[in-house]
Amino acid sequence: MDVNAAVAALAAIAGVCTGVIAMLAFRWSERDQARPTRTSLHNDAVLPPGVDTVLSVLRSSAVVLDESDSVVKASSAAYALGLVRGGKLAVEPMMHMARATRRDGEIRQAELDLPRRGTGRGEALAVSARVAPLGSRLVLLLVEDLTEARRIEAVRRDFVANVSHELKTPTGALSLLSEAVMDASDDPEAVTRFAGRMQIEATRLTNLVQELIDLSRVQNDDPLEDAEPVRVDELVAEAIDRSRHAASTKQITMAAGGTADLYVWGNRGQLAAALGNLVENAVNYSPARTRVGIAGRRIAAPGGDLIEIAVTDQGIGISEKDRERVFERFYRVDPARSRATGGTGLGLAIVKHVAASHGGEVTVWSSEGQGSTFTLRLPEAGAVRDRASTGRGPVTADEDDDVPYETFSSAVPQSPAIVPAPEVLP
C-alpha cells in the first residue's frame, strides 16, 4: 500500500507540474503575440496617422521611403510598374530625387521613360515622378503613368497634321486653277477644262469635310440613344444606290443576296453610312467589267445572334502588311490611286467606329490581285425577329441553311477572289 500511495503522489505532482508549465507557456505565447514586431514598429510607428489610408486611395503609384532608403510603404500599382523590388526602390533617378529631397526638403518633379517590365522590345513607360518630404524622416514618391496620355496626344497631333495636309491639297489646287482661269479668260476651251478640274477639287474638298464631320459625330454621339430596328435589305439597297452611278461608269455589276428579312439594332444613319462606305470602296478599287457582291446572313454567337454583312469585290486587293492598317485614319494602301478615285482615307475609319459603337466589328480578308471581302458584324434586333417570325412560325437552323447567299452565289462568279460565305474566310 505504501508503494502504491507513493506512486500516486508522484503522478499527482507530475500532473500539477505539467499543468503549471502549460499555463506558463500559454501566457508567454499570448504576451509574445501581443508584442509588436520590428516590421510592425517600422511601418506603423513611423507613418503619420491617416497616411496609410490616404495612400491606399490615390490613383498614383505611391512609395514611402525612410532615412535608409528602405521602402516603408508601397502601393500595389508601384509593384506593378516595377518601381519596388526586394524592399528597395528600383529606379535610380527616382532614388536620387528622394535623397536630394531628404537633404533640402524641396519638392521635386520630373518626367522619366522607364523600361516596360517583361518585354524585350525596348518599349518604354512614360511616367511623371513627384517627390516630397513626409514628416522629418520620410520621403513620399508619387508616380503617374503618362503612357496612354502621350499615345492619345500623338494620335491627335498626327490627326491634325493629316487633316491640314489633306485640306491644303484641294484648296491649293483650287487657288492655282482659279489663277489659270483668269489668265486664260480669252480661251473658252481652256476655261472649260480648268473649270472642270476646279469642280473635281471642290467635290473632293466637300467630301473630305463631310467625312470629317461624320467621323466626329460617330466618335462623340451615342448611337444607341436613337436606336431602332433597321432592315438590312434597306441598308443594302441604299448602299447600292449610292454607288450605282460610279459602278455603271465602270461597267461594274452589283449583286445583292443572302438571307432576307434581317434586322439590326442601331442608328439608321450611321449604319447606312458605314455600309455605303464599304460598297463605295469596293466599286472605286475594282477594275472595269467586274462584280461587287453584298450579302447578309444570321450567325450564332454566345451573347446572341449576329447579323453578318459581307461586301466582296474583284479589285486590286490589299497586301498583308497593309491589311492591319487599313482602318487607320487617312491611311491609304495606294495614295496615288486613292487620290485618283477621290478617296479621303477616312471611310474605313468611320466604318470601324460605327461597328464598335454598335457592339460589333468589321474585319477584312484580301489577296493581292484577286480581291477583298469586308465583313460587318452587328447585333441582331431580336425582338423584331420574334415579331416577324410569329406569322410563319419560328425560324429554324435548317431554314437558314437553305437561304444564305443563294442569290449572291449565282450572281457572282466563284473564283478565288470571291468568298461567298464569311465562315470560309482565312
Side-chain angles (χ1 to χ4, degrees):
M1 290 292 296
D2 293 340
V3 174
N4 292 334
V7 171
L10 290 176
I13 294 173
V16 171
C17 291
T18 302
V20 171
I21 292 173
M23 180 67 70
L24 291 175
F26 178 75
R27 291 293 181 86
W28 181 270
S29 175
E30 281 188 334
R31 188 175 65 176
D32 190 57
Q33 290 179 2
R35 181 186 303 164
T37 62
R38 173 184 286 186
T39 303
S40 62
L41 279 173
H42 187 62
N43 289 339
D44 299 336
V46 297
L47 282 178
V51 172
D52 194 2
T53 304
V54 172
L55 295 182
S56 64
V57 299
L58 286 178
R59 295 181 60 184
S60 304
S61 302
V63 180
V64 179
L65 303 175
D66 62 10
E67 62 274 11
S68 63
D69 292 334
S70 297
V71 175
V72 176
K73 177 72 176 179
S75 64
S76 57
Y79 286 99
L81 288 178
L83 304 180
V84 178
R85 297 175 189 171
K88 293 289 184 179
L89 186 62
V91 183
E92 195 64 26
M94 294 181 186
M95 182 68 76
H96 293 326
M97 293 171 61
R99 291 170 179 170
T101 297
R102 188 183 297 110
R103 285 195 304 268
D104 54 27
E106 293 185 3
I107 298 176
R108 287 174 169 80
Q109 184 169 352
E111 292 190 1
L112 305 171
D113 291 332
L114 307 180
R116 190 183 295 270
R117 250 182 116 182
T119 62
R121 299 191 300 269
E123 298 178 355
L125 286 171
V127 299
S128 174
R130 185 177 179 87
V131 182
L134 184 65
S136 58
R137 296 184 300 164
L138 303 180
V139 173
L140 173 63
L141 171 66
L142 297 177
V143 180
E144 190 78 22
D145 189 356
L146 304 178
T147 307
E148 184 65 16
R150 283 193 180 181
R151 187 192 67 82
I152 295 174
E153 181 61 30
V155 170
R156 183 182 295 111
R157 185 170 56 251
D158 293 342
F159 180 71
V160 172
N162 287 330
V163 168
S164 302
H165 175 73
E166 295 295 331
L167 290 174
K168 182 180 179 180
T169 302
T171 54
L174 287 173
S175 177
L176 292 175
L177 288 170
S178 64
E179 293 180 5
V181 169
M182 293 178 62
D183 293 339
S185 57
D186 55 346
D187 186 352
E189 293 183 3
V191 170
T192 303
R193 185 172 66 255
F194 291 141
R197 291 291 305 278
M198 291 177 67
Q199 187 175 12
I200 293 174
E201 294 297 335
T203 302
R204 179 183 170 193
L205 182 60
T206 301
N207 292 339
L208 175 59
V209 173
Q210 183 59 50
E211 290 201 348
L212 286 172
I213 295 173
D214 293 341
L215 181 61
S216 176
R217 182 179 294 116
V218 301
Q219 285 182 313
N220 297 329
D221 294 350
D222 183 4
L224 300 184
E225 288 184 357
D226 302 321
E228 59 178 332
V230 182
R231 189 183 176 110
V232 174
D233 293 341
E234 296 177 358
L235 295 177
V236 173
E238 187 174 337
I240 291 177
D241 287 339
R242 173 176 168 176
S243 300
R244 190 178 301 278
H245 176 70
S248 62
T249 301
K250 300 172 66 175
Q251 300 180 16
I252 293 176
T253 301
M254 291 190 292
T259 307
D261 297 327
L262 297 178
Y263 288 83
V264 293
W265 184 261
N267 184 290
R268 179 184 177 83
Q270 292 189 14
L271 293 174
L275 185 58
N277 284 339
L278 291 180
V279 175
E280 186 176 11
N281 277 356
V283 171
N284 288 339
Y285 290 93
S286 293
R289 293 178 293 278
T290 56
R291 294 178 184 270
V292 171
I294 310 100
R297 67 167 185 169
R298 181 186 298 112
I299 61 172
D305 289 352
L306 296 177
I307 301 302
E308 203 173 63
I309 309 172
V311 179
T312 304
D313 63 62
Q314 295 172 300
I316 61 176
I318 306 171
S319 65
E320 184 176 357
K321 66 180 182 64
D322 292 322
R323 218 170 296 155
E324 300 177 355
R325 303 190 58 189
V326 292
F327 296 103
E328 295 179 10
R329 303 166 184 170
F330 295 111
Y331 185 79
R332 295 185 177 94
V333 175
D334 186 350
R337 184 176 176 86
S338 297
R339 296 183 190 279
T341 57
T344 62
L346 290 174
L348 291 180
I350 293 174
V351 176
K352 178 182 177 181
H353 281 287
V354 170
S357 62
H358 283 75
E361 64 173 353
V362 58
T363 59
V364 58
W365 172 91
S366 185
S367 179
E368 288 187 272
Q370 295 184 342
S372 305
T373 296
F374 284 85
T375 304
L376 185 64
R377 296 183 182 92
L378 299 167
E380 182 185 19
V384 176
R385 178 192 173 190
D386 294 339
R387 288 198 299 269
S389 62
T390 53
R392 54 184 176 89
V395 178
T396 64
D398 293 337
E399 292 175 1
D400 275 350
D401 290 341
D402 292 337
V403 177
Y405 295 89
E406 181 178 357
T407 306
F408 176 69
S409 298
S410 61
V412 181
Q414 301 304 301
S415 67
I418 301 299
V419 184
E423 71 264 21
V424 301
L425 297 181

